[in-house]
Amino acid sequence: MTTNLPALQQAPSHDENTVLGLLEAIPDGVMVLDVSGSVLYANRGAYHMFGGRELVGRDLGLPITLDGRHAEIEYIDRAGCIGRAELRASRFNWLGQPATAVSLRDTTVRYALQEQLALADQVFESAQEGIIVTLPDGVIVRVNRAFAAITGYSAEEARGLTPRLLSSGEHGRTFFERMWTSVFEEGAWQGEVINRRKDGSLYPQSLSITQIHDADGVLTHLVGVFTDLTQDKIAQGKLAEAHSQLSQSERVAAIGQLEKMAAIGQLAAGVVHEVNNPVGFVLSNLGVLGEYADDLLRLVDAYEQDGSHSSECASRVRKIKEEIGYTELCVDLKRLVDQSREGLERVRRIVLDLKDFSRPGEPSWQWSDLHQCLESTLNIAWNEIKYKANVEKRYGELPLVNCAPSQINQVFMNLLINAAQAIEEYGRITISTGCDAETVWVEVSDNGKGIAPENLARVFEPFFTTKPVGQGTGLGLSLSHSIVQRHHGRIEVRAQDGDGCCFRVTLPIGGTAGDATVDQTNMGSLP
């Protein structure tokens, strides 16, 4: 690649060589354009931006009327991608002819950084959960709009406070010692807390706290994500009161619906935790990106402090590049942006999957991909499963199935959570699928403690459970059986060879809605 220095009437003088040498040393793109916009000269920086293509003689479509002004432009870089640059132009005489001097400063990275910061800020502010960011000593540095709506404290009022001032006084010292020990020694904590609003009223919240570190692994901030549980607690009280007034048959039907809501409630803290993790590292990345932005702006200032781009300027720029590790910074910048985008995409998937699972009203029958139903359910229940078991997927080829996907998701949820709870330490959950000409089947098996032979025939009975008192209503499998029967399918259970058990759900491919009445005679086990 050559810079195609202009043809001079005579050999360049020492001063001209010095000027040309300085132009070649400048990292920015520098070009000279004639009155029609064609390139008369381009330095190495320009060739680096536009690639190894010949530039002299070409019209790149650059604006040449910005005498003494600057503008943001887009260009096609050496990789064929769209880049952005800040263009400055000024008119002068070039070898006795009117021309325009153009300098191009690549702003692609800075623009991408600004875009990601704006996106992350939008996600932070639009979240339905309250988000609070503090220093390690607990001093609040930022909250989102949901925090203000729930607590009554504006962002300005909350900044500088500590969570201690929001405490209700309902929890003792031991509670908070355990909480902060978990945060600082294990990296996270989640649970329910009663806090105080600005008006003095108390409210329950589901809270998750995680750490944020800088690029060197130093703890810089804590982030808390919480959900106001006030309406949930009121609803639970009303349900308990209404339940006491129901007949036995009405209780069975009501508790069936309650089982679904209980499953969502059981998963709520886990979902908050799963959302908090990506939000936490996106916020952490933003902290590092902010430091990188400061370094890049320092580099830009070094350029702008010396408009002549002298050798002293070039030397100062090289020194700053060495100080900030410019090459490594550019590589890490892209990694952080990609990581943040991946984290935000994870949050989006969790929210969409939870919306599908908790869809209210009459179920909508449609042709559905059962593998997608399984993945959606796993995504929601993952926090309940990942600490108990490794999940193995043995998926076969499945056709679309006509079903009510929100109800089938509930069946899968009950089977997966039961499998995880049956494993006492850390084990394995296997999901297998297959089909024949008229039906599809899904199996969920585990290597947990299994079901006693005398209980196999009773697992689908309402209110039957082998769990300790207070854990489960004994309606999860009964409700699952009712849903599968409504789909004209079968749900069966068998003991595994050695340990654990296996549940198989079989559904007709072209199913139609059936009677919701539970037929106890069809509750059985696999041979």
Side-chain angles (χ1 to χ4, degrees), residues 35-97:
V35 291
S36 67
S38 295
V39 178
L40 297 174
Y41 163 77
N43 74 341
R44 288 189 179 90
Y47 276 94
H48 180 76
M49 290 177 65
F50 289 92
R53 300 169 296 172
E54 181 59 63
L55 296 180
V56 172
R58 292 183 57 195
D59 183 353
L60 300 176
L62 301 175
I64 59 175
T65 59
L66 299 172
D67 186 23
R69 294 177 293 164
H70 68 277
E72 284 280 338
I73 66 164
E74 291 185 348
Y75 70 95
I76 305 299
D77 66 14
R78 60 193 300 133
C81 301
I82 296 177
R84 297 181 69 91
E86 182 182 69
L87 178 146
R88 296 177 181 270
S90 58
R91 295 172 183 169
F92 76 117
N93 285 325
W94 174 258
L95 301 178
Q97 299 179 6

Side-chain angles (χ1 to χ4, degrees), residues 190-192 206 229 232-233 236 257-274 354 357-358 377 379-385 387-388 410 412-422 465 467-468 470-477:
Q190 66 180 49
E192 288 192 12
S206 175
L229 299 179
D232 292 348
K233 298 298 183 182
Q236 288 175 12
Q257 179 60 22
L258 183 60
E259 180 72 17
K260 178 177 180 179
M261 302 312 297
I264 296 175
Q266 177 185 355
L267 296 169
V271 170
V272 169
H273 184 69
E274 288 297 299
L354 189 60
F357 178 78
S358 60
T377 305
N379 199 26
I380 297 172
W382 188 238
N383 196 67
E384 297 292 320
I385 297 173
Y387 300 112
K388 299 298 294 291
Q410 187 177 351
F412 293 158
M413 179 72 72
N414 289 336
L415 297 183
L416 288 167
I417 294 298
N418 280 354
Q421 291 176 345
T465 180
K467 297 176 184 176
Q471 294 185 20
T473 61
L475 285 170
L477 291 176

Side-chain angles (χ1 to χ4, degrees), residues 8-189:
L8 301 175
Q9 298 287 337
Q10 56 188 10
S13 66
H14 173 74
D15 289 342
E16 289 170 333
N17 273 329
T18 300
V19 171
L20 293 174
L22 287 174
L23 290 175
E24 291 302 306
I26 293 173
D28 287 352
V30 177
M31 291 186 286
V32 178
L33 312 179
D34 64 17
V35 291
S36 67
S38 295
V39 178
L40 297 174
Y41 163 77
N43 74 341
R44 288 189 179 90
Y47 276 94
H48 180 76
M49 290 177 65
F50 289 92
R53 300 169 296 172
E54 181 59 63
L55 296 180
V56 172
R58 292 183 57 195
D59 183 353
L60 300 176
L62 301 175
I64 59 175
T65 59
L66 299 172
D67 186 23
R69 294 177 293 164
H70 68 277
E72 284 280 338
I73 66 164
E74 291 185 348
Y75 70 95
I76 305 299
D77 66 14
R78 60 193 300 133
C81 301
I82 296 177
R84 297 181 69 91
E86 182 182 69
L87 178 146
R88 296 177 181 270
S90 58
R91 295 172 183 169
F92 76 117
N93 285 325
W94 174 258
L95 301 178
Q97 299 179 6
T100 301
V102 172
S103 69
L104 293 166
R105 177 163 299 156
D106 196 324
T107 59
T108 306
V109 172
R110 184 175 68 189
Y111 182 80
L113 174 62
Q114 291 171 344
E115 216 173 33
Q116 290 301 312
L117 288 172
L119 175 61
D121 189 69
Q122 184 179 358
V123 171
F124 182 85
E125 291 297 340
S126 63
Q128 297 299 306
E129 296 81 10
I131 303 178
I132 176 172
V133 182
T134 76
L135 298 174
D137 61 3
V139 175
I140 298 172
V141 295
R142 185 174 180 184
V143 298
N144 69 344
R145 283 195 290 264
F147 173 94
I150 295 172
T151 67
Y153 287 95
S154 68
E156 292 74 19
E157 291 172 328
R159 195 174 297 115
L161 298 179
T162 64
R164 183 185 300 274
L165 298 177
L166 307 178
S167 175
S168 64
E170 297 290 314
H171 304 286
R173 180 176 180 179
T174 302
F175 175 87
F176 287 107
E177 285 179 349
R178 289 175 179 172
M179 172 195 288
W180 294 116
T181 297
S182 178
V183 170
F184 289 108
E185 294 185 4
E186 301 175 17
W189 180 87

Side-chain angles (χ1 to χ4, degrees), residues 395-444:
Y395 291 172
E397 294 291 332
L398 293 186
L400 296 180
V401 175
N402 190 30
C403 65
S406 62
Q407 290 193 343
I408 296 302
N409 284 355
Q410 187 177 351
V411 173
F412 293 158
M413 179 72 72
N414 289 336
L415 297 183
L416 288 167
I417 294 298
N418 280 354
Q421 291 176 345
I423 297 171
E424 295 180 334
E425 293 183 359
Y426 191 84
R428 180 186 68 255
I429 297 174
T430 304
I431 307 173
S432 306
T433 64
C435 67
D436 54 31
E438 297 181 351
T439 64
V440 299
W441 54 265
V442 176
E443 286 189 349
V444 177

Side-chain angles (χ1 to χ4, degrees), residues 190-254:
Q190 66 180 49
E192 288 192 12
V193 179
I194 296 176
N195 271 346
R196 188 181 302 277
R197 296 187 179 91
K198 182 181 178 181
D199 63 9
S201 62
L202 304 184
Y203 70 101
Q205 63 175 223
S206 175
L207 173 65
S208 175
I209 305 174
T210 54
Q211 298 181 356
I212 295 179
H213 301 84
D214 63 16
D216 298 321
V218 177
L219 175 65
T220 59
H221 296 85
L222 300 175
V223 58
V225 178
F226 66 92
T227 303
D228 185 353
L229 299 179
T230 303
Q231 294 304 316
D232 292 348
K233 298 298 183 182
I234 293 174
Q236 288 175 12
K238 289 181 177 179
L239 280 172
E241 181 181 355
H243 180 260
S244 66
Q245 301 173 5
L246 295 176
S247 66
Q248 179 64 23
S249 60
E250 289 174 324
R251 289 184 185 182
V252 172

